Amino acid sequence: MQLAPFFPIFYRVLQPTFPNCLWGGDRNSKMIALTFDDGPHPQYTPQVLAVLDRYNIKASFFWLGACVNRSPAIAKAVSDQGHWIGLHGYDHRSFPMLSPLDLKDSLEKTQAAIYNACNLQPEQVRDVRPPNGLFTPATLKLFLQWNYRPVMWSVVPEDWVRPGVNTVVQRVIEQVQNGSMIVLHDGACGGQDVAATIKILIPQLLRQGYEFVTVDTLWQQGTTKPLW
């Protein structure tokens, strides 16, 4: 069963319960963020970069440390083109299943991989999106303690199950609004279709007057503010 129709309901419930997470930006501004999880991938990520470059759009990428280590040149290309970089854990294990020590190690190993590939210092890469969006209040408390910024999403077209490019585009268009944070995937699950998806999606959103910004910009001007 595909869950895409239910995600907007889930997040309307979760957002006020977990206000320390970034769920989106200013509802009075037509700024939106295009984000990609599970990369970098040696084939799919360069395809995404080519489309973003064509439209001069800066996106945000939440990386797995293992994938960075496998494709450091691709990671460097993403960083060199000015896209925002965040953490998605080292190997996509669910954060609530990890001990605090293992969670800290997963995030720090990913920061180290990014530093080695892109020369970005750990303090420059502190946005964290939990794999599958799964977290607990204890997880968020650890993020705060370790000076990470928890990032979620507001538009989830469930592209990782590959329902078809047109279906993914339609789901985004139906859900997008001012301040939306759209999540797509450029990794092994869903990455096969991602370039074709954004080739259709980006022009439609531009015609609607949306401006694409990074997650960092949403932190700066969003309705959800970090506590530190």
Side-chain angles (χ1 to χ4, degrees):
M1 177 179 139
Q2 294 190 7
L3 298 175
F6 301 101
F7 281 119
I9 300 170
F10 294 159
Y11 291 109
R12 277 199 295 272
V13 173
L14 289 172
Q15 182 173 352
T17 308
F18 297 100
N20 296 340
C21 295
L22 181 70
W23 297 87
D26 187 351
R27 291 291 181 257
N28 296 312
S29 166
K30 287 191 77 72
M31 292 181 180
I32 58 175
L34 192 57
T35 72
F36 299 91
D37 288 3
D38 294 356
H41 188 278
Q43 179 181 355
Y44 309 140
T45 303
Q47 295 171 352
V48 168
L49 289 181
V51 180
L52 296 175
D53 185 59
R54 182 186 311 169
Y55 291 98
N56 194 28
I57 284 171
K58 302 305 179 192
S60 303
F61 290 80
F62 289 85
W63 281 343
L64 298 171
C67 292
V68 176
N69 282 335
R70 284 195 291 267
S71 302
I74 304 298
K76 188 175 189 305
V78 174
S79 178
D80 286 350
Q81 291 187 26
H83 300 289
W84 189 252
I85 310 301
L87 309 170
H88 202 44
Y90 189 78
D91 52 11
H92 214 274
R93 284 185 294 168
S94 177
F95 286 175
M97 302 300 293
L98 300 177
S99 69
L101 184 63
D102 286 341
L103 175 58
K104 193 169 191 287
D105 182 63
S106 174
L107 297 174
E108 290 179 349
K109 281 173 63 179
T110 305
Q111 285 177 315
I114 293 169
Y115 173 75
N116 290 333
C118 308
N119 201 33
L120 291 174
Q121 297 292 335
E123 56 268 22
Q124 295 176 273
V125 188
R126 59 193 185 100
D127 284 336
V128 179
R129 175 176 280 161
N132 304 311
L134 298 177
F135 61 90
T136 65
T139 310
L140 297 184
K141 185 177 180 181
L142 291 172
F143 289 161
L144 179 62
Q145 178 182 330
W146 298 331
N147 200 32
Y148 292 111
R149 303 192 301 187
V151 177
M152 293 302 294
W153 47 48
S154 55
V155 177
V156 188
E158 208 177 14
D159 62 323
W160 63 88
V161 300
R162 300 189 69 191
V165 169
N166 291 333
T167 297
V168 172
V169 171
Q170 180 183 2
R171 288 173 177 172
V172 174
I173 295 299
E174 288 175 352
Q175 295 181 34
V176 72
Q177 57 183 308
N178 290 356
S180 283
M181 187 158 35
I182 302 163
V183 61
L184 297 170
H185 294 76
D186 63 329
C189 296
Q192 301 92 329
D193 300 326
V194 68
T197 297
I198 62 175
K199 281 180 184 176
I200 300 171
L201 182 61
I202 288 174
Q204 291 193 29
L205 293 172
L206 288 172
R207 283 195 294 270
Q208 292 186 25
Y210 288 108
E211 177 187 355
F212 290 88
V213 299
T214 66
V215 163
D216 189 51
T217 299
L218 294 190
W219 272 118
Q220 294 174 34
Q221 57 92 66
T223 54
T224 307
K225 298 291 186 182
L227 295 183
W228 53 88

